[in-house]
């Protein structure tokens, strides 16, 4: 990412926060607000899939899939954030070593 | 118990502990940004200026998987739009003063909103907002700096399974969002759209197309007649 991209993102992110604070309750319909709050599960799920199964605009199944599986189990067991990430990394690294 | 010493010290301790926890996530961000090729200065600028963790992760993730900067920024801003909703909710709590409110705006994120709304009176709400916001700001940036340093030390990312850290962090982040039916519909549909789009679209676009999953999820939410959002305010970043 270039400096322009970083600073554009910074300005945009701040303006979004500021717009909410300035507008208070006067902004957006309830439907719009619900749509915005449904953005995170959609975007997160897409990122999980792409980061695990994408390689140069094609789909692949490799060691990362084992990491994803491990992360799902660790999350389901309600382990702390850092532990979930470390387990996924370890499982992926080991799967890569043995394959 | 309005602003009694007991309740004040209790929510302040919680706020600072939350800040420390987020700082640990900041370490992950620093390492990942470094492995995605973002310079230390730009990585720090992200945490100091963008200061909304999930958007930062998303932007770096899109760039790491070969997406364009435009896709990265657009996706990150779509995700950051929920902070506008939080800002609306926090607006009456923040108190008067244009400068103060402008400064407070930068601290309007998941954690500060959640901690503030968990208090039972407006004084504690305001105090919890500032203490949480400032604690998270401090530790998120300290963590990022630590992660950038660590990233230089560890070297080749794939050997350590670092490429699995991105999806794993999002698995941890998505948890609170998929406890409701609409959240689940959004997640499953978005996952399907993203995978189907991969062979046919340039890198970065599948994430944006996946945002369309919000439409059907919204229909499910409307039909269930429940006016609440998915958990409203969520956990980490």
């Amino acid at each position: 990412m270039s400096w322009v991209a970083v600073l554009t993102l910074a300005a945009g992110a701040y303006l979004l926060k500021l717009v909410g604070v300035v507008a208070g309750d006067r902004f957006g319909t309830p439907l719009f607000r619900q749509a915005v709050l449904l953005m995170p599960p959609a975007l997160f799920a897409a990122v999980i899939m792409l980061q695990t199964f994408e390689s140069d605009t094609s789909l692949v199944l490799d060691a990362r899939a084992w990491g994803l599986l491990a992360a799902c189990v660790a999350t389901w067991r309600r382990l702390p954030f850092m532990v979930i990430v470390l387990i996924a990394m370890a499982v992926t690294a080991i799967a890569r070593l043995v394959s | 118990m309005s602003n009694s010493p007991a309740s004040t010290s209790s929510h302040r301790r919680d706020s600072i502990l939350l800040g420390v926890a987020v700082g640990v996530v900041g370490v992950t961000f620093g390492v990942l940004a470094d492995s995605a090729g973002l310079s230390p200065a730009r990585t720090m600028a992200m945490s100091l200026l963008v200061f909304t963790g999930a958007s930062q992760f998303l932007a770096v993730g899109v760039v790491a998987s070969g997406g364009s900067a435009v896709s990265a920024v657009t996706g990150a801003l779509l995700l950051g739009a929920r902070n506008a909703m939080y800002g609306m909710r926090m607006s009456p709590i923040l108190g008067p003063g244009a400068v103060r409110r402008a400064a407070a705006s930068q601290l309007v994120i998941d954690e500060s909103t959640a901690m503030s709304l968990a208090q039972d009176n407006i004084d504690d709400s305001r105090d919890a907002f500032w203490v949480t916001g400032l604690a998270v700001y401090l530790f998120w940036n300290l963590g990022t700096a630590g992660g950038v340093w660590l990233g230089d030390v560890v070297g080749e990312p794939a050997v350590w399974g670092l490429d699995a850290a991105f999806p794993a962090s999002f698995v941890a982040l998505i948890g609170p969002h998929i406890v409701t039916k609409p959240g689940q519909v959004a997640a499953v549909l978005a996952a399907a759209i993203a995978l189907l789009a991969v062979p046919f679209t340039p890198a970065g676009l599948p994430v944006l197309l996946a945002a369309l999953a919000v439409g059907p999820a919204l229909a499910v939410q409307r039909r269930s007649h429940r006016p609440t959002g998915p958990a409203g305010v969520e956990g980490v970043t």
Side-chain angles (χ1 to χ4, degrees):
Chain A
M1 278 174 83
S2 65
W3 272 111
V4 174
V6 170
L7 295 178
T8 304
L9 176 56
Y14 180 71
L15 282 177
L16 282 168
K17 296 169 179 170
L18 188 67
V19 159
V21 170
V22 170
D25 292 340
R26 289 165 294 174
F27 184 72
T29 62
L31 183 70
F32 175 76
R33 294 186 210 180
Q34 285 174 354
V36 169
L37 290 176
L38 282 169
M39 251 351 150
L43 294 179
F44 290 171
V47 168
I48 292 167
M49 290 300 116
L50 297 172
Q51 290 289 331
T52 306
F53 301 110
E54 186 191 37
S55 181
D56 295 332
T57 70
S58 59
L59 297 176
V60 294
L61 192 63
D62 58 24
R64 293 175 296 176
W66 290 106
L68 176 64
L69 190 66
C72 290
V73 173
T75 303
W76 172 59
R77 298 309 303 257
R78 298 182 177 276
L79 296 175
F81 184 93
M82 203 63 191
V83 177
I84 295 171
V85 173
L86 287 175
I87 288 176
M89 284 171 57
V91 168
T92 304
I94 292 166
R96 200 164 272 147
L97 269 181
V98 297
S99 64
Chain B
M1 289 266 293
S2 174
N3 228 2
S4 72
S7 79
T8 301
S9 67
S10 144
H11 78 241
R12 284 190 176 171
R13 193 190 55 220
D14 289 349
S15 299
I16 290 165
L17 281 176
L18 182 60
V20 173
V22 173
V24 175
V25 184
V27 175
T28 317
F29 174 73
V31 172
L32 290 175
D34 189 73
S35 76
L38 212 64
S39 72
R42 286 173 204 178
T43 305
M44 284 316 298
M46 290 264 268
S47 283
L48 288 165
L49 302 175
V50 178
F51 188 56
T52 177
S55 293
Q56 294 177 227
F57 271 109
L58 185 103
V60 171
V62 169
V63 169
S65 64
S68 71
V70 173
S71 298
V73 171
T74 310
L77 289 179
L78 277 176
L79 201 53
R82 75 190 185 293
N83 290 333
M85 304 301 125
Y86 295 160
M88 287 161 57
R89 187 68 185 77
M90 295 308 301
S91 185
I93 296 170
L94 298 177
V99 174
R100 228 167 88 109
R101 289 172 73 83
S105 296
Q106 176 68 337
L107 303 178
V108 173
I109 51 167
D110 297 322
E111 293 84 356
S112 55
T113 307
M115 197 60 93
S116 173
L117 296 179
Q119 310 305 316
D120 55 12
N121 66 76
I122 192 158
D123 292 327
D124 281 348
S125 276
R126 189 174 300 166
D127 192 73
F129 170 82
W130 282 100
V131 176
T132 310
L134 290 171
V136 170
Y137 193 82
L138 175 69
F139 288 110
W140 176 251
N141 280 288
L142 285 177
T144 303
V148 169
W149 174 78
L150 208 59
D152 282 344
V153 176
V154 297
E156 179 55 49
V159 174
W160 300 87
L162 247 176
D163 48 346
F166 262 126
S169 25
F170 279 99
V171 168
L173 288 172
I174 202 173
H177 293 278
I178 52 174
V179 290
T180 63
K181 189 84 179 287
Q184 291 160 4
V185 171
V188 171
L189 268 181
I193 293 172
L195 288 179
L196 287 174
V198 163
F200 309 106
T201 57
L205 201 58
V207 170
L208 302 184
L209 289 174
L212 296 173
V214 166
L218 206 51
V220 169
Q221 180 153 334
R222 293 255 120 182
R223 213 176 46 200
S224 66
H225 294 298
R226 288 202 324 164
T228 53
V233 165
E234 49 289 317
V236 168
T237 61

